[in-house]
Amino acid sequence: MNRQELLDRYQAGERNFTYINLSGANLSGVNLQEIDLTGANLTGVNLSWAVLNQAQLVGVCFRRADLRNAVLTRSNFNQSNLSGANLTKADLRFATLKQADLNWAILTEADLSNTDLTGAKLDQINLEQAKLNHALLMGAELMEANLTRASLIAANLTGTNLRESRLIGANLKDAILTQANLTEADLNGSTLRSANLTGADMHRVILTGADLTEAILDSADLSRGNLTGAYLLKASFKKAYLLRTNLEEVYLLWANLSEANLRGANLRKADLSGSYLSDTILSEADLRDALLIESHLIRTNLEGSKLTGCCIHNWEKVDVELTKVECDYVYTQFDYTSKKPKNRYPSDRDFLPGELANEPSEDSHLITVEFMEYPNWEALVYTLVKVEQESYELQLMIQGFESQPDQFFLQVKANHLVNTKLLAEQILTSYLSMKKKILEKRSDILGLLNLEVPIFNASLDLQEIPEPALPPPPVVEHQNHQALSQEISRQIQSILRSQEPEKFVISVQRLLDFLTKNGVELEEIQHQVIIQGIVQRAQQEPLFKENLFRWEQTANPSERVSLMGELVRFAIALLWEK
């Protein structure tokens, strides 16, 4: 049958053209929707830009056919042969290609969303930038396939063979890859968020920089794989195999590695904060400079592992043997401001063999600070506040004070274990600097708060303050801006918690004027301190909320248009939205 005869009969209403031979025919751009070409020979046919949606194409031979830009939606290609065919940018949405042969076919930028490719042969196929969202690929063969930057969101690839395939930059979010074969596959930079890879074979897989947040990899085998820099937040690796796997600088925050085997794995600089390591095998693993902040180590096997430089802040250890690890020192705290570990332990030497197993002798809840002169209590209280702000989640409370000839001892209690030696040095150093600032600016701070007496009982200290030869400079130096801003912020928070709107509008405005005069930026204070402080108190105290709305109605015009007045009205607007 030739082209013209086919088109004439189709135009006359005929749709059944089963088993015809149109090999090599030029049918570019024709409209043959709903045609039945079951068993036809269309080898080398040109169907570019053709419309064959909802067509019956079961068992059709399309070898080396040109189907570029063809519309093939909802068509049935079951058991058809499309090997070597060119389907670039073809529209195959909702098509059925069960057990079809697409080996060596070209489908770059094709749309196969919701397509059924169960059991299809797609070895060495080119699906670069193709769309396969929600596609069914169970048991399909995709060996050495090119899926670079392809989209497979929520696709089902259960039992699919993707050995040595390229999925660089591919999007497999929510995809199902249980029992899939990804041996030596390249998924560099790919997205696998919430993907299910349970029981997948991923020997020597490349997942560098990939995003596997909340992915499930239970019982998967990633031995000798490369996951350098991958994001594995809240991922599940229960009973997974990661022998000799490269996990350097990976993010395993809150990941579940219970009963996983990571023998000889490279976890240098990895972040395992909050991770679960129950019955996990980490023997001979390299954990140097890793973060084990608040990690849960329960019966974890660390024999022969390297732990030098790791951060163990608030880690949980239960039945963990540490006598056979290699470790020169650890860090017991983490600075969340600088994003770096701190408080090296031991502070001035290296561990002796097996010493890490002992409880740190320098760590305690109680810190003793030694003063050579009677302390200025006002400066001391501000010092403790400053030290708390410099250490994440640290809370300090004065427990006692002892006076001896020429020496004074302050007892401070921390809310968690700290390196007492280092923290005592930090408090003393900060105190000396704070005392100097308090003595220089104390009258200014009290004046801004409309106070004529000290906030704290510091009469003994005031007697020791020398009279200045010249008045203090009116403008704060640039390097003191941050300290001043922090101090005023604390004063503002106290005012907002204790005063009613008609009073704190005036008090806080004076402090803001003072900061403006000294060149301090106000944006952070406006939003994070004042507005949030007002909203939070209003949500907690219904009576305060009523007073806030009453102020808006009764405030005089000068207060309403002031900076503080505008901030109060902005907070009220947020409360109305809530």
Side-chain angles (χ1 to χ4, degrees):
M1 184 181 294
N2 58 32
R3 166 192 168 95
Q4 195 56 47
E5 182 182 354
L6 170 70
L7 296 178
D8 289 344
R9 289 168 60 179
Y10 181 87
Q11 191 68 28
E14 187 175 345
R15 295 292 182 268
N16 188 352
F17 296 90
T18 57
Y19 300 100
I20 64 170
N21 185 353
L22 283 165
S23 57
N26 185 357
L27 296 166
S28 178
V30 299
N31 185 347
L32 298 170
Q33 57 184 328
E34 299 182 1
I35 193 171
D36 186 352
L37 289 163
T38 300
N41 182 3
L42 298 174
T43 302
V45 71
N46 183 356
L47 280 162
S48 58
W49 300 97
V51 177
L52 285 93
N53 54 300
Q54 301 186 61
Q56 288 297 320
L57 303 164
V58 178
V60 174
C61 182
F62 285 103
R63 289 184 62 213
R64 298 187 302 277
D66 186 352
L67 289 149
R68 289 174 299 163
N69 298 288
V71 178
L72 306 160
T73 55
R74 300 186 184 276
S75 293
N76 187 348
F77 286 87
N78 289 347
Q79 300 174 350
S80 60
N81 187 344
L82 291 126
S83 60
N86 190 343
L87 291 104
T88 300
K89 296 185 179 181
D91 188 351
L92 286 148
R93 288 173 299 163
F94 294 96
T96 304
L97 292 105
K98 292 180 180 179
Q99 299 178 345
D101 185 350
L102 289 100
N103 292 335
W104 308 290
I106 302 170
L107 286 100
T108 53
E109 299 185 59
D111 192 345
L112 293 98
S113 300
N114 297 285
T115 299
D116 190 347
L117 288 148
T118 303
K121 298 177 182 178
L122 301 115
D123 292 339
Q124 298 186 38
I125 191 172
N126 189 348
L127 285 157
E128 186 168 351
Q129 296 187 61
K131 293 180 182 178
L132 292 114
N133 300 332
H134 301 278
L136 302 179
L137 289 145
M138 293 87 75
E141 290 287 331
L142 281 149
M143 280 187 62
E144 300 181 32
N146 182 6
L147 287 147
T148 302
R149 297 192 299 281
S151 181
L152 294 107
I153 297 171
N156 191 336
L157 294 106
T158 302
T160 300
N161 186 1
L162 287 151
R163 186 185 181 99
E164 297 181 47
S165 58
R166 282 175 290 164
L167 290 126
I168 300 168
N171 188 348
L172 290 121
K173 184 178 182 293
D174 297 317
I176 302 172
L177 291 133
T178 54
Q179 305 297 326
N181 186 350
L182 286 153
T183 303
E184 297 185 23
D186 190 348
L187 290 113
N188 176 38
S190 61
T191 299
L192 288 141
R193 294 176 72 96
S194 303
N196 189 344
L197 290 137
T198 301
D201 187 349
M202 303 171 77
H203 268 84
R204 300 182 185 276
V205 70
I206 299 173
L207 282 160
T208 50
D211 186 354
L212 287 103
T213 300
E214 298 184 342
I216 302 172
L217 295 107
D218 298 344
S219 301
D221 192 343
L222 294 96
S223 298
R224 298 185 182 275
N226 187 353
L227 285 83
T228 303
Y231 292 83
L232 304 164
L233 284 73
K234 297 184 179 180
S236 180
F237 288 89
K238 289 186 290 186
K239 297 184 179 181
Y241 295 89
L242 295 110
L243 286 80
R244 309 289 176 189
T245 302
N246 189 349
L247 293 155
E248 188 167 351
E249 296 187 0
V250 299
Y251 296 88
L252 277 157
L253 286 82
W254 306 293
N256 191 344
L257 289 149
S258 299
E259 300 182 67
N261 190 341
L262 290 96
R263 183 185 180 114
N266 179 7
L267 285 148
R268 287 203 68 179
K269 299 182 179 180
D271 191 344
L272 292 107
S273 300
S275 60
Y276 293 88
L277 298 162
S278 176
D279 297 298
T280 304
I281 298 174
L282 283 163
S283 55
E284 301 175 23
D286 190 347
L287 286 148
R288 286 176 292 175
D289 301 314
L291 299 180
L292 291 164
I293 302 166
E294 299 182 2
S295 296
H296 309 277
L297 286 79
I298 303 170
R299 298 178 299 277
T300 307
N301 184 348
L302 289 163
E303 184 177 353
S305 62
K306 299 174 182 177
L307 292 172
T308 297
C310 68
C311 182
I312 60 172
H313 174 61
N314 281 353
W315 70 344
E316 177 190 11
K317 298 193 290 33
V318 179
D319 296 331
V320 178
E321 177 62 58
L322 293 171
T323 57
K324 296 181 181 180
V325 303
E326 297 179 24
C327 186
D328 294 334
Y329 59 89
V330 294
Y331 293 96
T332 61
Q333 296 292 318
F334 188 79
D335 189 333
Y336 287 85
T337 303
S338 63
K339 307 296 183 186
K340 293 181 180 178
K342 65 177 185 177
N343 289 1
R344 184 189 190 273
Y345 178 76
S347 59
D348 52 0
R349 62 180 180 85
D350 287 347
F351 279 125
L352 298 173
E355 187 181 357
L356 179 61
N358 303 327
E359 288 296 324
S361 59
E362 295 177 5
D363 280 14
S364 174
H365 286 279
L366 198 62
I367 309 105
T368 300
V369 186
E370 181 181 347
F371 295 88
M372 301 308 294
E373 61 180 24
Y374 191 86
N376 180 315
W377 288 97
E378 190 171 350
L380 185 56
V381 171
Y382 286 131
T383 298
L384 296 181
V385 173
K386 181 176 183 291
V387 172
E388 285 180 340
Q389 290 184 339
E390 291 174 349
S391 302
Y392 182 73
E393 293 184 344
L394 176 65
Q395 296 177 13
L396 299 173
M397 182 180 295
I398 296 175
Q399 290 292 105
F401 183 76
E402 182 182 350
S403 297
Q404 294 184 6
D406 301 324
Q407 283 184 313
F408 305 91
F409 298 94
L410 177 72
Q411 298 288 333
V412 180
K413 185 178 181 181
N415 62 323
H416 59 69
L417 285 175
V418 294
N419 188 312
T420 57
K421 180 180 178 181
L422 293 178
L423 192 58
E425 293 175 356
Q426 183 182 356
I427 291 173
L428 192 57
T429 302
S430 297
Y431 165 77
L432 296 173
S433 173
M434 184 64 69
K435 180 180 177 182
K436 182 180 178 181
K437 294 175 183 177
I438 290 293
L439 297 181
E440 288 177 352
K441 297 295 180 183
R442 189 169 182 279
S443 59
D444 290 344
I445 295 174
L446 295 178
L448 287 166
L449 295 172
N450 200 23
L451 297 173
E452 298 179 358
V453 294
I455 300 174
F456 304 98
N457 184 9
S459 57
L460 292 173
D461 303 293
L462 293 176
Q463 295 173 4
E464 298 174 0
I465 301 174
E467 289 293 328
L470 294 171
V475 179
V476 178
E477 296 178 0
H478 179 72
Q479 58 266 32
N480 292 329
H481 281 182
Q482 184 177 1
L484 179 62
S485 178
Q486 291 175 351
E487 176 52 39
I488 297 299
S489 295
R490 287 194 292 272
Q491 298 289 351
I492 290 174
Q493 289 171 338
S494 177
I495 291 170
L496 293 176
R497 287 194 296 266
S498 60
Q499 295 184 4
E500 294 303 315
E502 58 269 23
K503 292 185 178 180
F504 70 56
V505 169
I506 299 172
S507 301
V508 175
Q509 184 61 51
R510 289 178 180 173
L511 291 174
L512 295 177
D513 291 340
F514 174 77
L515 292 176
T516 303
K517 174 184 175 183
N518 286 282
V520 178
E521 292 290 335
L522 300 180
E523 183 175 352
E524 184 175 350
I525 294 176
Q526 293 176 36
H527 291 86
Q528 296 187 8
V529 178
I530 298 174
I531 295 175
Q532 289 186 16
I534 294 171
V535 171
Q536 289 173 2
R537 184 181 173 190
Q539 291 173 338
Q540 296 168 359
E541 302 178 24
L543 183 59
F544 173 78
K545 186 176 180 180
E546 293 178 10
N547 292 338
L548 204 59
F549 292 146
R550 188 181 301 112
W551 173 88
E552 187 183 30
Q553 297 173 355
T554 60
N556 63 55
S558 61
E559 291 178 356
R560 291 173 61 85
V561 300
S562 67
L563 175 58
M564 185 58 190
E566 291 179 356
L567 295 175
V568 173
R569 286 188 289 141
F570 186 84
I572 291 172
L574 291 178
L575 290 169
W576 275 115
E577 289 181 4
K578 293 179 183 296

